[in-house]
C-alpha cells in the first residue's frame, strides 16, 4: 500500500498524468496518476488516504518549490494536471460525502479581466489541499460572488486581478461583499496586487502564490 501511494505522490509531484504521457522524461513508460489512483482504489486503499497521504503532500511539495522558484509555471501546471487526473477518480467519493472537505473556496477573476491562468492554478492547488472549489470563471461581478456565497454557507472567497485597471473593480467587489456579508473571508491575488492594496480595500488576506493561499485557508479551517 505504501509503495503505491509513494508512486502516486511522485507522479503528482513531477506531473506524470498517465502512462502515455512523455512528461517528465525520467518517468517515461511508467504509470501516471490516472492509473496509480485506479490501482490504489482497487487495492482497497481508502480515497481519504489517497488524498491525505499522496495528493495533498505532493501538492504541498509543488507549492513550496514554486514559492522558492525551484520550479516554474509549466511544471506546476503539469502537477496540477496530474492531480486533476487523480481527483477525477476520487470525485464520486467527494460527492457521496465519504471524503469530508475542509471547506468551500469560491474563486473568480474580477469583472473586466480575462486572465485566468493564475486563478486556475490557485483553484487546482486549493482543491489539492482538500477544499471543494466553486470556480466562477472570469469577468465576475459582485452579484455573482454574493449569490455563490449565499448558496455556500461559510465559504471563503478568492478574487484574482491581473490588470491595474481591474484592481479598481476588485476593490468595489470587496466593499459590496463586506457590506452585505461582513463575516466572509476574502483572499486576493494577482500580479499587480499586494499586501498594502489588500489592507486598503478591506480584504482579509493577500497571497502572492497558491501555496500561501492554501496555508491561510488551512489555518482558517483548523
Ligand atoms: C497570458 C496573458 C494574457 C492572455 C490571457 C490568457 C488567459 N487565459 O489567462 C491574453 C492574451 C488573453 C491576455 C490579454 C490581455 N492582456 Co495579458 N498577459 C498575459 C501574460 C503574458 C501572462 C499572465 C499569466 O498568466 N501569468 C502566469 C500566472 C501563473 O501568473 P499570475 O496570473 O500572476 O498568477 C499567480 C499569482 O499572481 C497568484 N494569483 C493569481 N490570481 C490569484 C488569486 C488568488 C485568490 C490568489 C491567492 C493568488 C492568485 O497565483 C498565481 C501563481 O503564482 C501577462 C504578462 C506576464 N508575464 O505576467 C500579460 C499582462 C497581464 N496582460 C496585460 C494586458 C495589458 C492585457 C490586455 C489588456 C492586452 C490588450 N491590449 O488587449 C488584454 C486584457 C484582456 C482582459 N480584458 O483581461 C498586461 C497588464 C498590464 C497591467 N499591469 O495592467 C500584462 C502584465 C502584460 C504587459 N507587460 O503589459 N493576456
Amino acid at each position: 500500500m505504501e509503495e503505491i501511494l509513494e508512486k502516486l505522490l511522485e507522479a503528482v509531484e513531477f506531473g506524470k498524468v498517465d502512462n502515455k504521457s512523455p512528461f517528465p522524461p525520467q518517468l517515461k513508460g511508467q504509470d501516471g496518476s490516472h492509473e496509480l489512483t485506479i490501482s490504489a482504489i482497487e487495492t482497497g486503499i481508502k480515497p481519504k488516504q489517497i488524498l491525505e497521504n499522496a495528493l495533498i503532500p505532493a501538492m504541498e511539495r509543488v507549492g513550496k518549490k514554486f514559492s522558492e522558484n525551484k520550479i516554474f509555471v509549466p511544471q506546476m501546471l503539469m502537477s496540477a494536471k496530474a492531480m486533476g487526473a487523480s481527483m477525477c477518480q476520487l470525485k464520486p467519493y467527494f460527492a457521496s460525502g465519504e471524503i469530508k472537505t475542509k471547506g468551500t473556496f469560491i474563486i473568480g477573476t474580477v469583472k473586466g479581466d480575462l486572465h485566468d491562468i493564475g486563478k486556475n492554478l490557485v483553484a487546482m492547488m486549493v482543491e489539492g489541499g482538500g477544499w471543494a472549489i466553486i470556480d466562477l470563471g472570469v469577468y465576475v461581478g459582485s452579484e455573482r460572488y454574493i449569490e455563490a456565497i449565499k448558496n455556500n454557507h461559510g465559504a471563503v472567497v478568492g478574487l484574482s486581478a491581473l490588470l491595474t485597471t481591474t484592481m479598481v473593480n476588485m476593490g468595489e467587489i470587496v466593499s459590496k461583499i463586506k457590506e452585505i456579508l461582513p463575516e466572509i473571508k476574502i483572499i486576493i491575488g494577482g500580479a499587480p496586487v499586494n499586501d498594502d492594496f489588500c489592507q486598503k480595500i478591506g480584504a482579509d488576506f493577500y497571497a502572492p502564490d497558491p501555496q500561501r493561499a492554501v496555508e491561510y485557508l488551512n489555518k482558517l479551517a483548523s
Side-chain angles (χ1 to χ4, degrees), residues 50-71:
I50 298 176
L51 188 70
E52 289 175 359
N53 300 339
L55 303 187
I56 293 178
M59 292 318 264
E60 275 170 9
R61 287 188 198 176
V62 172
K64 191 163 178 289
K65 285 194 278 186
F66 184 74
S67 289
E68 292 167 353
N69 291 324
K70 288 183 179 152
I71 59 165

Side-chain angles (χ1 to χ4, degrees), residues 66 73 76 105 107-109 112-122 138-139 157-166 170 187-193 205-210 212-213:
F66 184 74
V73 170
M76 186 146 95
F105 185 57
I107 189 165
T109 302
D113 205 322
L114 289 174
H115 296 87
D116 66 357
I117 297 170
K119 183 238 344 140
N120 293 344
L121 272 177
V122 173
V138 297
Y139 248 83
V157 180
L159 308 184
S160 177
L162 261 285
L163 299 170
T164 37
T165 48
T166 54
M170 186 180 249
I187 310 179
I188 64 161
V193 305
F205 190 69
Y206 158 70
D209 58 43
R212 251 65 71 90

Side-chain angles (χ1 to χ4, degrees), residues 102-154:
K102 293 179 184 165
T104 301
F105 185 57
I106 298 167
I107 189 165
T109 302
V110 301
K111 199 167 139 189
D113 205 322
L114 289 174
H115 296 87
D116 66 357
I117 297 170
K119 183 238 344 140
N120 293 344
L121 272 177
V122 173
M124 288 187 275
M125 295 291 288
V126 171
E127 186 175 33
W131 288 72
I133 301 294
I134 295 178
D135 188 343
L136 300 176
V138 297
Y139 248 83
V140 186
S142 54
E143 303 78 17
R144 283 182 55 216
Y145 284 109
I146 290 166
E147 191 192 347
I149 299 164
K150 285 184 173 166
N151 290 334
N152 294 279
H153 187 70

Side-chain angles (χ1 to χ4, degrees), residues 1-219:
M1 176 185 112
E2 281 302 309
E3 198 191 329
I4 198 162
L5 290 184
E6 267 167 36
K7 280 192 174 163
L8 179 57
L9 195 159
E10 189 189 24
V12 174
E13 181 181 356
F14 294 99
K16 177 81 176 164
V17 178
D18 56 30
N19 57 17
K20 290 198 192 79
S21 165
F23 183 87
Q26 75 269 25
L27 296 179
K28 198 172 167 213
Q30 296 188 28
D31 281 347
S33 60
H34 171 74
E35 296 84 9
L36 289 164
T37 306
I38 293 172
S39 307
I41 294 170
E42 281 171 2
T43 319
I45 302 176
K46 293 250 176 307
K48 190 171 182 287
Q49 283 174 288
I50 298 176
L51 188 70
E52 289 175 359
N53 300 339
L55 303 187
I56 293 178
M59 292 318 264
E60 275 170 9
R61 287 188 198 176
V62 172
K64 191 163 178 289
K65 285 194 278 186
F66 184 74
S67 289
E68 292 167 353
N69 291 324
K70 288 183 179 152
I71 59 165
F72 300 97
V73 170
Q75 287 109 311
M76 186 146 95
L77 281 174
M78 287 312 293
S79 291
K81 209 171 163 196
M83 193 208 62
S86 188
M87 293 296 281
C88 270
Q89 305 302 323
L90 299 185
K91 277 262 154 69
Y93 301 93
F94 278 104
S96 71
E98 193 175 312
I99 299 179
K100 291 261 173 296
T101 55
K102 293 179 184 165
T104 301
F105 185 57
I106 298 167
I107 189 165
T109 302
V110 301
K111 199 167 139 189
D113 205 322
L114 289 174
H115 296 87
D116 66 357
I117 297 170
K119 183 238 344 140
N120 293 344
L121 272 177
V122 173
M124 288 187 275
M125 295 291 288
V126 171
E127 186 175 33
W131 288 72
I133 301 294
I134 295 178
D135 188 343
L136 300 176
V138 297
Y139 248 83
V140 186
S142 54
E143 303 78 17
R144 283 182 55 216
Y145 284 109
I146 290 166
E147 191 192 347
I149 299 164
K150 285 184 173 166
N151 290 334
N152 294 279
H153 187 70
V156 182
V157 180
L159 308 184
S160 177
L162 261 285
L163 299 170
T164 37
T165 48
T166 54
M167 286 168 72
V168 184
N169 299 347
M170 186 180 249
E172 283 172 12
I173 292 167
V174 171
S175 301
K176 286 197 177 142
I177 295 175
K178 290 281 183 184
E179 197 184 303
I180 302 177
L181 303 152
E183 73 287 359
I184 293 301
K185 295 277 185 236
I186 304 176
I187 310 179
I188 64 161
V193 305
N194 58 29
D195 211 18
D196 286 347
F197 180 70
C198 174
Q199 295 190 13
K200 192 172 140 207
I201 65 171
D204 297 282
F205 190 69
Y206 158 70
D209 58 43
Q211 181 62 14
R212 251 65 71 90
V214 171
E215 285 164 13
Y216 175 75
L217 285 166
N218 287 345
K219 267 195 213 136

